[in-house]
Amino acid sequence: MRRLGMVLGLGAGLALFGVIAPALAQKRFPSSAGALAVETVAGGLEHPWGLAFLPDGRMLVTERPGRLRIVDAKGDLSRPISGVPSVMARGQGGLLGIALDPDFARNRLVYLSFAEPRSGGNGTSVARGRLNEQGTALTEARVIFRQMPTVASNLHFGSRLVFDRTGALFVTVGERFTQRDQAQNPANDLGKIIRIRPDGGIPADNPKKPGWAPEIWSIGHRNVQGAALHPETGQLWTAEHGARGGDEINTPKAGLNYGWPVITYGVDYSGAKIGEGTAKPGMEQPLFYWDPSIAPSGAAFYTGSVWPQWKNSLFVGALAGSLLARLSTEGEKVTGEERLLTDIGARIRDVVQGPDGLLYLLTDEEDGKLLRVRPAQ
């Protein structure tokens, strides 16, 4: 486990290109892999949250108020796609994570996580629907998972969606803030990693420990907003919000307890101690943590050829930190951190590697941007 201060190299401050900062269009920004540039692919997105590339290179983007759009190669936005479930768009709630079915080219199935309005409150839910050939509508949309119990809160929904190599779907869900102790209760879905089949059923190899709800993979999580599969091992890695400090990188494994709120490297927002300390038998340690917090969000492993020296690095967007963190890895170890885009001046909500081997980012703003990071010319 490594802390924030154990850094490989110097973080590179990147400025925005084009629409955001025209005067900086020709400026080069250093990083450990050479000079970089950041350019705007599209603007006019209201608090964009999740990004997924279609097979033809266009991009699906979720907007937290409840809209799903396609962004084409020229950066043009489609009209909102119809058939998206109604969302509770308050606080941290709204339309959140997105994933394409591993067999999307054949079945055109799209999976969305969202804050679902319910009687007595709300909760994180997952729906799937079929994107029509015109890209204008989701058809046959239905909810395949509902986090239970329902809670009246506008906070801590998670939620990222990641398919594993068996075709099962990981769903990250928060503990809803007011119910943090329930992250230790394996009988409910608060503060857990969920693993389901694409139709919402339960995989045969889920832990299914005594007292555990059958959909639960691991417990003791606070609010996981970043998740990605390691490209070599297929292991799930997650980026998890702490309170004041204690943001974590974890590799959640079946049937294990990741400690929240019993153990943490952070303190409460008031400065008060949380739980029993930083370690306890039977509870897992993070691979890496940040103190002070950067508020980590979307995460992606790098596998491209544009920056070969960054192979298997985990890139994590930061909200409070307004930066892009690159974590170098070796097996299940984080060996160092490089901070990029430290003067970008925007909350980075998601990071995805494109089919061109470049990095694509979403900024969490009322006039949110889809950005592309490339080598500077």
Side-chain angles (χ1 to χ4, degrees):
M1 176 181 61
R2 289 177 175 264
R3 292 191 57 193
L4 159 68
M6 305 179 75
V7 178
L8 283 184
L10 296 175
L14 295 178
L16 293 178
F17 180 93
V19 173
I20 301 175
L24 299 178
Q26 301 304 316
K27 190 172 180 178
R28 297 161 67 91
F29 302 93
S31 80
S32 64
L36 301 173
V38 177
E39 57 194 14
T40 301
V41 177
L45 293 159
E46 187 176 357
H47 294 286
W49 216 95
L51 170 66
F53 276 87
L54 293 165
D56 62 8
R58 295 182 300 162
M59 293 156 277
L60 281 172
V61 178
T62 63
E63 294 176 278
R64 204 174 67 214
R67 293 182 292 272
L68 176 65
R69 297 184 189 269
I70 291 177
V71 182
D72 68 18
K74 296 185 294 183
D76 293 333
L77 303 182
S78 74
R79 296 178 60 84
I81 293 170
S82 65
V84 174
S86 297
V87 308
M88 192 285 296
R90 294 196 303 272
Q92 296 174 356
L95 186 59
L96 306 172
I98 183 170
L100 302 186
D101 193 276
D103 199 18
F104 176 86
R106 183 186 63 82
N107 61 31
R108 301 191 64 82
L109 289 174
V110 176
Y111 298 75
L112 300 170
S113 63
F114 63 104
E116 182 184 41
R118 305 175 188 168
S119 175
N122 48 65
T124 302
S125 294
V126 177
R128 79 171 186 182
R130 202 177 306 275
L131 183 66
N132 67 0
E133 292 289 345
Q134 297 77 27
T136 59
L138 280 184
T139 64
E140 307 168 42
R142 68 180 184 89
V143 173
I144 61 169
F145 167 77
R146 285 187 168 92
Q147 179 192 42
M148 297 301 292
T150 294
V151 176
S153 170
N154 295 337
L155 302 172
H156 292 197
F157 294 91
S159 168
R160 295 292 173 184
L161 304 175
V162 177
F163 279 95
D164 71 14
R165 290 180 176 175
T166 73
L169 179 63
F170 284 114
V171 183
T172 74
V173 293
E175 31 70 295
R176 309 308 316 283
F177 188 71
T178 60
Q179 305 295 314
R180 72 184 190 188
D181 289 343
Q182 291 301 310
Q184 288 294 314
N185 181 354
N188 66 42
D189 298 322
L190 304 183
K192 311 299 193 300
I193 303 294
I194 305 299
R195 184 170 177 262
I196 56 176
R197 295 201 308 258
D199 62 358
I202 306 300
D205 56 347
N206 270 14
K208 301 175 186 173
K209 297 171 70 171
W212 284 45
E215 67 274 13
I216 291 176
W217 181 256
S218 59
I219 72 172
H221 300 281
R222 186 172 184 265
N223 190 21
V224 176
Q225 290 192 356
L229 285 193
H230 192 284
E232 293 183 349
T233 67
Q235 171 64 45
L236 180 69
W237 288 51
T238 58
E240 181 167 347
H241 284 255
R244 216 172 88 185
D247 300 335
E248 297 181 356
I249 297 294
N250 288 303
T251 52
K253 295 182 174 63
L256 297 186
N257 184 344
Y258 289 82
W260 178 259
V262 179
I263 61 171
T264 177
Y265 284 88
V267 297
D268 217 336
Y269 297 108
S270 66
K273 179 181 177 181
I274 298 174
E276 301 178 15
T278 58
K280 185 174 182 177
M283 296 184 177
E284 304 302 307
Q285 287 289 303
L287 299 189
F288 182 92
Y289 68 93
W290 286 274
D291 188 13
S293 173
I294 66 166
S297 194
F301 279 99
Y302 188 73
T303 62
S305 59
V306 176
W307 298 288
Q309 57 271 70
W310 287 350
K311 182 180 179 182
N312 293 341
S313 288
L314 181 68
F315 285 86
V316 181
L319 300 169
S322 297
L323 57 88
L324 181 66
R326 183 185 70 84
L327 301 180
S328 53
T329 70
E330 184 177 338
E332 277 197 16
K333 293 181 181 178
V334 174
T335 56
E337 180 192 25
E338 179 179 16
R339 294 192 164 197
L340 306 170
L341 286 74
T342 53
D343 62 352
I344 195 171
R347 292 156 52 91
I348 298 178
R349 174 61 74 181
D350 201 10
V351 52
V352 173
Q353 179 184 312
D356 54 7
L358 301 178
L359 293 173
Y360 290 76
L361 313 175
L362 294 176
T363 67
D364 181 27
E365 305 166 285
E366 287 188 11
D367 181 16
K369 309 295 189 295
L370 169 57
L371 306 175
R372 177 167 50 226
V373 182
R374 59 170 176 81
Q377 299 300 317

